[in-house]
C-alpha cells in the first residue's frame, strides 16, 4: 500500500518529472525525492523508473484517453515495438536483444520517439503512449495494491 506522499511522487515520476522537478513541486530536498523514487521502485518491485509508468496507470481507476495523434502518425511500426519493450521496463540493451537489433539502433529508435513526441524522457513518452491509446492500457494484475483511501 502506498502512502499519500508516495502516490503523489509516483504520479509526478510517471508523467516524466525528474527527481529535481519532483523536489521543487513538493518543496522537499532533492535527496528526499530520490529516496521516494528508490522506495517506489522497491515497493512496486520494478527495476527502472520507466516501469513505474505502467504501475501508476494500473492504479488509475479508468483510462483517461485523449483524442490525439494516431500512433501511425507519431511513430513507425518498429518504434512501436521498441515502445512496447520500454513499457515493460526494458533497458536499451534488453530492447536490442529482444528485437534482434543493435544497441545503437535501439537507442536511436528511443531518441527518435522522444524527438517526434517532444517528450523529455522515457517516462513522459510512455505516459503519452498509454494515455493516447498507442499502447494498451496496463492491466490491473501487476500485484500492486490499489489505494483504499
Amino acid at each position: 500500500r502506498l502512502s499519500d506522499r508516495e502516490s503523489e511522487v509516483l504520479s509526478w515520476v510517471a508523467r516524466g518529472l525528474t527527481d529535481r522537478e519532483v523536489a521543487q513541486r513538493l518543496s522537499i530536498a532533492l535527496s528526499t525525492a530520490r529516496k521516494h523514487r528508490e522506495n517506489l521502485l522497491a515497493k512496486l518491485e520494478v527495476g527502472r523508473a520507466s516501469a513505474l509508468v505502467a504501475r501508476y496507470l494500473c492504479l488509475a481507476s479508468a483510462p483517461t484517453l485523449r483524442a490525439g495523434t494516431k500512433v501511425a502518425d507519431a511513430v513507425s511500426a518498429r518504434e512501436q515495438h521498441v515502445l512496447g519493450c520500454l513499457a515493460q521496463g526494458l533497458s536499451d540493451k534488453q530492447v536490442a536483444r529482444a528485437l534482434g537489433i543493435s544497441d545503437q539502433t535501439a537507442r536511436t529508435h528511443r531518441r527518435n520517439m522522444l524527438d517526434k513526441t517532444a517528450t523529455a524522457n522515457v517516462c513522459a513518452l510512455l505516459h503519452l503512449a498509454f494515455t493516447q491509446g498507442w499502447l494498451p492500457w496496463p492491466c490491473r494484475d501487476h500485484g500492486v495494491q490499489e489505494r483504499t483511501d
Side-chain angles (χ1 to χ4, degrees), residues 16-142:
L17 269 65
T18 64
D19 290 340
R20 184 174 308 281
E21 293 166 329
V22 169
Q24 289 171 345
R25 295 237 179 170
L26 301 179
S27 300
I28 58 177
L30 176 58
S31 60
T32 302
R34 283 187 183 128
K35 191 64 177 172
H36 278 304
R37 182 183 39 79
E38 291 167 1
N39 289 343
L40 285 167
L41 291 170
K43 194 176 239 185
L44 298 177
E45 299 175 349
V46 296
R48 304 177 61 83
S50 60
L52 289 174
V53 178
R55 295 298 173 101
Y56 167 72
L57 293 174
C58 280
L59 296 173
S61 58
T64 53
L65 299 178
R66 297 182 302 205
T69 310
K70 293 184 180 186
V71 68
D73 297 336
V75 297
S76 71
R78 191 56 156 172
E79 288 169 341
Q80 194 170 3
H81 291 129
V82 171
L83 192 58
C85 290
L86 293 173
Q88 295 173 31
L90 300 182
S91 67
D92 290 337
K93 185 175 276 195
Q94 292 168 322
V95 169
R97 299 299 172 269
L99 299 178
I101 58 178
S102 74
D103 297 356
Q104 182 59 45
T105 301
R107 284 190 294 275
T108 298
H109 283 310
R110 178 184 40 81
R111 189 173 45 254
N112 287 344
M113 286 186 289
L114 292 172
D115 290 343
K116 287 178 182 181
T117 59
T119 51
N121 54 47
V122 172
C123 288
L125 173 65
L126 291 173
H127 189 272
L128 177 69
F130 283 121
T131 58
Q132 289 287 333
W134 301 346
L135 289 173
W137 196 258
C139 60
R140 294 190 162 276
D141 56 359
H142 282 260

